[in-house]
């Protein structure tokens, strides 16, 4: 919604799409039709600790039993889909796995600390995929640029990230003990992103598991590439129009950041060959592309690219041809190549 992904929905975000559809559908069915099965999805800490019902950790920390929590967490996952596009499905799923595991441990630890310090016995916590959702606020805060959109009463700034934080606050206040899940999620996100703890090297999805899921589930939840962009202001409601304007603003911010990187590389003598980057990526469907193609005499010999970087871009969903072209044009700068592939 407020990230630099354009109005492309869930394109190149199959894991985010599955997290939106499957848990939400199960939550609605449990609420409306199968209320007698809700007990199997309750996050019952007493049953986990005393009866060793470890399966409740999986069921209770995946499906929301409150439709308000389902709605808020689904909107947040939709906003956080930018991370799957930026890092690839495997790295994104590794973050969710690590955050889910760490937050489960921190849940139990915070419950014990609360009982020891305040004498409050907590037998159950709100159900749902809430720990990893709160953990995603850590990279959202640190890596998504903050841009002021307007001011309220001349003092309070409204940014492109404000409504996402409001959604998080709404989710935080939806239950009595949900602050435990929020705190454990934030701490787990910080721990997983820490370059000192190296948690991401331990709690990660193996490549063979990622390949199996890419062969089986990705075709089911993948979204078709959008054929064209929706013009700003064409939304059916004011909220959709505001969302489209925010997405356009974020794309402009990303382009300005890349332009700044270009100027820095030019000052360092590593000029990027933009004429080789833009034609295949921005005009691949343009009938007049032949008129703008540089002659073979003016084209420098291709730059050797790292197969490891090509593989990383292909893991994000880009074709090998686009990955090679982007890396050659950006002098093997993976960040620049990724940014432009996301934008074109």
């Amino acid at each position: 919604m407020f990230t630099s992904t354009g109005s492309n929905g869930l394109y190149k975000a199959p894991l985010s799409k599955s997290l939106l559809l499957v848990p939400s559908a199960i939550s609605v069915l449990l609420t409306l039709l199968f209320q007698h099965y809700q007990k199997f999805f309750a996050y019952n800490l007493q049953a986990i600790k005393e009866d060793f019902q470890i399966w409740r950790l999986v069921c209770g920390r995946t499906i929301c039993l409150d439709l308000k929590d389902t709605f808020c967490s689904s909107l947040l996952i939709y906003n956080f889909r930018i991370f799957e596009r930026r890092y690839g499905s495997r790295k994104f799923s590794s973050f969710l796995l690590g955050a889910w595991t760490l937050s489960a441990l921190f849940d139990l630890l915070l419950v014990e600390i609360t009982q020891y310090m305040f004498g409050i016995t907590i037998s159950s916590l709100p159900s749902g995929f809430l720990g990893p959702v709160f953990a995603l606020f850590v990279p959202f805060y640190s890596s998504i640029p903050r841009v002021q959109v307007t001011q309220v009463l001349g003092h309070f700034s409204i940014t492109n990230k404000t409504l996402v934080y409001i959604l998080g606050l709404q989710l935080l206040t939806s239950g009595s003990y949900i602050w435990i899940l929020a705190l454990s999620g934030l701490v787990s996100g910080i721990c997983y992103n820490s370059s000192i703890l190296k948690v991401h090297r331990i709690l990660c999805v193996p490549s063979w598991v990622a390949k199996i899921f890419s062969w089986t589930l990705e075709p089911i939840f993948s979204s078709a590439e959008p054929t064209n962009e929706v013009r700003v202001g064409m939304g059916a409601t004011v909220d959709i129009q505001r969302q489209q304007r925010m997405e356009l603003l974020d794309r402009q911010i990303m382009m300005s950041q890349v332009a700044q990187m270009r100027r820095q590389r030019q000052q360092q003598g590593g000029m990027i060959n933009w004429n080789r980057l833009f034609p295949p990526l921005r005009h691949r469907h343009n009938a007049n592309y032949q008129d703008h193609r540089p002659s073979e005499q003016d084209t420098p010999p291709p730059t050797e690219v790292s197969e490891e970087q090509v593989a990383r871009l292909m893991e994000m969903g880009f074709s090998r041809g686009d990955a090679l072209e982007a890396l050659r044009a950006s002098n093997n700068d993976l960040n620049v190549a990724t940014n432009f592939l996301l934008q074109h």
Side-chain angles (χ1 to χ4, degrees), residues 258 262 266 271-279 329 336 340:
V258 175
R262 175 189 177 186
Q266 290 175 346
M271 184 175 297
I272 300 175
N273 190 351
W274 301 111
N275 292 329
R276 295 180 57 238
L277 175 62
F278 280 113
V336 175
F340 272 98

Side-chain angles (χ1 to χ4, degrees), residues 120-324:
I120 301 175
T121 301
I122 302 175
S123 59
S124 63
L125 291 173
S127 302
F129 198 67
L130 303 179
V133 169
F134 281 112
L136 285 168
F137 275 98
V138 176
F140 180 76
Y141 173 80
S142 59
S143 62
I144 301 300
R146 176 181 178 272
V147 181
Q148 179 176 320
V149 178
T150 185
Q151 283 189 338
V152 178
L153 301 178
H155 298 285
F156 302 100
S157 298
I158 302 297
T159 71
N160 58 328
K161 302 166 71 172
T162 299
L163 292 184
V164 178
Y165 289 132
I166 292 176
L167 275 175
L169 183 61
Q170 173 65 33
L171 185 60
L172 177 63
T173 57
S174 63
S176 56
Y177 294 118
I178 204 168
W179 63 269
I180 294 179
L181 302 176
L183 183 57
S184 64
L186 293 174
V187 174
S188 63
I190 294 173
C191 292
Y192 194 87
N193 276 350
S194 174
S195 59
I196 300 176
L197 299 178
K198 307 292 184 181
V199 179
H200 60 277
R201 295 186 178 180
I202 303 174
L203 297 176
C204 63
V205 176
S207 58
W208 62 272
V209 175
K211 290 180 180 179
I212 291 176
F213 278 96
S214 65
W215 294 335
T216 56
L217 297 182
E218 186 172 345
I220 300 175
F221 294 104
S222 60
S223 300
E225 181 177 2
T227 56
N228 54 5
E229 289 287 333
V230 180
R231 288 190 176 185
V232 174
M234 294 299 291
T237 66
V238 176
D239 290 337
I240 294 177
Q241 294 175 14
R242 185 182 299 113
Q243 170 184 339
Q244 293 168 356
R245 292 189 178 94
M246 294 300 301
E247 290 173 343
L248 177 61
L249 178 62
D250 281 336
R251 291 199 299 272
Q252 294 172 348
I253 295 169
M254 179 67 74
M255 294 300 296
S256 65
Q257 291 178 340
V258 175
Q260 182 179 1
M261 295 175 65
R262 175 189 177 186
R263 290 193 296 269
Q264 292 176 353
R265 292 182 65 87
Q266 290 175 346
Q267 293 173 0
Q268 297 173 357
M271 184 175 297
I272 300 175
N273 190 351
W274 301 111
N275 292 329
R276 295 180 57 238
L277 175 62
F278 280 113
L281 296 182
R282 299 185 67 178
H283 305 290
R284 58 165 65 102
H285 300 300
N286 191 342
N288 298 324
Y289 167 60
Q290 297 293 337
D291 298 335
H292 301 284
R293 178 178 293 180
S295 62
E296 294 183 359
Q297 296 178 353
D298 298 333
T299 303
T303 305
E304 292 187 3
V305 297
S306 170
E307 286 297 327
E308 181 181 357
Q309 293 180 343
V310 173
R312 291 183 62 182
L313 290 176
M314 292 178 67
E315 286 181 357
M316 299 181 191
F318 303 113
S319 66
R320 179 177 177 82
D322 286 349
L324 288 171

